[in-house]
Amino acid sequence: MTRIALIAHDRKKPDLIEFAQTHESQLREYDLIATGTTGKRLREETDLGVERMESGPHGGDLMIGAEVAAGDLDGVVFLRDPLRAQPHEPDISALLRICDVRDTALATNLASATFLIEGLAE
């Protein structure tokens, strides 16, 4: 089964929830994982089953990076807030880097997220 991660910084969580609601029928076909708070909100605001990792600042980004490194993820949707510094920026950079190293599809905005899930559907 196709496995993707859903991650969003605090200011982008509403965008990710709306994205998930809009694409819920498609996302239901995937095995989903998410960082802690994002996963909690997805469970509360959609009917999607989501495996929750730790929150990003508590190692969740690194946990998802480990899934990428192990070859266990087909894609990552990470709606980042480009206008705010994050205290766990090194973890974020490590996740983005391992997606590049492992050639794992990575979407960091809504437009690329749509392309990612549509591309995985084919």
Side-chain angles (χ1 to χ4, degrees), residues 101-120:
V101 168
R102 296 295 298 206
D103 200 25
T104 299
L106 171 65
T108 59
N109 58 51
L110 291 171
S112 59
T114 300
F115 276 102
L116 187 149
I117 66 160
E118 288 177 0
L120 290 172

Side-chain angles (χ1 to χ4, degrees), residues 16-37:
L16 184 62
I17 298 303
E18 184 177 334
F19 173 83
Q21 290 169 338
T22 299
H23 300 282
E24 193 164 344
S25 63
Q26 181 67 41
L27 291 171
R28 199 173 285 119
E29 301 297 317
Y30 302 142
D31 185 15
L32 303 174
I33 66 170
T35 49
T37 308

Side-chain angles (χ1 to χ4, degrees), residues 25-100:
S25 63
Q26 181 67 41
L27 291 171
R28 199 173 285 119
E29 301 297 317
Y30 302 142
D31 185 15
L32 303 174
I33 66 170
T35 49
T37 308
T38 301
K40 181 176 186 280
R41 292 212 34 206
L42 285 164
R43 284 183 180 177
E44 292 172 351
E45 299 178 47
T46 71
D47 290 325
L48 296 169
V50 180
E51 178 184 350
R52 289 177 59 206
M53 302 287 145
E54 294 293 327
S55 68
H58 294 170
D61 297 327
L62 291 175
M63 293 171 78
I64 289 175
E67 298 260 343
V68 172
D72 293 335
L73 277 178
D74 300 293
V76 176
V77 173
F78 189 169
L79 300 186
R80 303 179 330 141
D81 184 349
L83 302 178
R84 296 178 76 86
Q86 302 296 321
H88 59 293
E89 195 65 43
D91 296 352
I92 295 165
S93 294
L95 173 57
L96 301 178
R97 185 172 39 258
I98 196 62
C99 285
D100 288 341

